[in-house]
Amino acid sequence: MLEHRIQQQFIDSADLKYQWAQALARPIAEATQALLACVTGGGKVLVCGNGASGALAQYVAALLVGGLDRPRPELPALALGTDAATLTAVARRGEYADAFAAQIRALGSAGDTLLVLSANGQAANLVRAVQAAHEREMSVIALTGSGGGEVGRLLRDTDVHVCVPHESTPRIHEAHQLVLHCLCDGLDQQLLGDEENSA
């Protein structure tokens, strides 16, 4: 019984990713181009999310700095919210919902990109992060699910929204990890060329 349930989880995840491939390919390509423009134009990528999305934010920042599959120069990326001292200092001044926004106001500049990850796009601290990025004239790439929530509604025409068309948080997180791999692979391809040609 348990083994069947486990197998079904694999099947459901694979089926959903297959179904989403065509719908998400264009926004992922647009997000890749936005990241490319940022890093080749001297900007940096600030990444944020809560809970599992926060773990994915750290993961993608590590991939951007350290690389995915191929050696390449480091790309400037920073996961926000990983420094407990900064988080508690900001929270002490007002409220936790401003924690990411305060770091964006301190570190963000025009030409930078905010990459925000959220399963439902509703968290107040992520909404404020998007608002702070816009105040700093940064572009925003949002990876969401469940319709995008308030984060999705705040996005401008110049921002990119990759919205996984599902309500299940685990499936959204699984899809977001694949999207992050696609973004890093796309950046490598744009910066280094096709792998066959680089040998």
Side-chain angles (χ1 to χ4, degrees):
M1 187 70 167
L2 181 57
E3 288 182 13
H4 175 72
R5 186 176 179 86
I6 291 167
Q7 291 171 15
Q8 194 59 49
Q9 293 272 355
F10 275 84
I11 291 165
D12 290 349
S13 182
D15 285 348
L16 290 169
K17 288 174 185 171
Y18 182 77
Q19 291 171 26
W20 299 331
Q22 188 171 0
L24 294 181
R26 179 178 295 251
I28 294 170
E30 291 172 358
T32 303
Q33 292 301 322
L35 287 174
L36 181 67
C38 171
V39 298
T40 58
K44 60 189 170 295
V45 183
L46 302 179
V47 196
C48 64
N50 294 317
S53 294
L56 287 173
Q58 292 181 59
Y59 178 61
V60 73
L63 292 178
L64 289 169
V65 174
L68 179 66
D69 282 331
R70 297 191 274 169
R72 61 150 166 75
E74 297 82 3
L75 301 178
L78 177 68
L80 304 177
T82 60
D83 177 353
T86 300
L87 275 181
T88 54
V90 172
R92 182 177 46 98
R93 287 189 345 204
E95 55 181 302
Y96 174 73
D98 206 39
F100 292 139
Q103 291 177 75
I104 291 165
R105 288 191 295 270
L107 301 170
S109 303
D112 292 345
T113 295
L114 174 66
L115 175 56
V116 58
L117 295 96
S118 176
N120 63 22
Q122 292 296 95
N125 60 342
L126 299 178
V127 169
R128 291 188 187 184
V130 171
Q131 292 168 333
H134 286 156
E135 289 166 12
R136 286 282 187 246
E137 297 182 17
M138 296 168 58
S139 61
V140 177
I141 299 169
L143 273 59
T144 69
S146 302
E150 186 60 25
V151 166
R153 287 187 284 278
L154 283 174
L155 297 178
R156 298 175 174 172
D157 291 342
T158 53
D159 297 329
V160 181
H161 192 190
V162 181
C163 184
V164 175
H166 208 271
E167 302 296 320
S168 167
T169 299
R171 296 289 91 87
I172 294 166
H173 287 151
E174 291 164 9
H176 281 179
Q177 185 176 25
L178 179 57
V179 169
L180 296 176
H181 288 159
C182 291
L183 291 175
C184 292
D185 175 72
L187 278 172
D188 285 357
Q189 193 276 332
Q190 294 292 305
L191 292 168
L192 304 172
D194 293 328
E195 224 164 340
E196 315 81 68
N197 299 335
S198 64

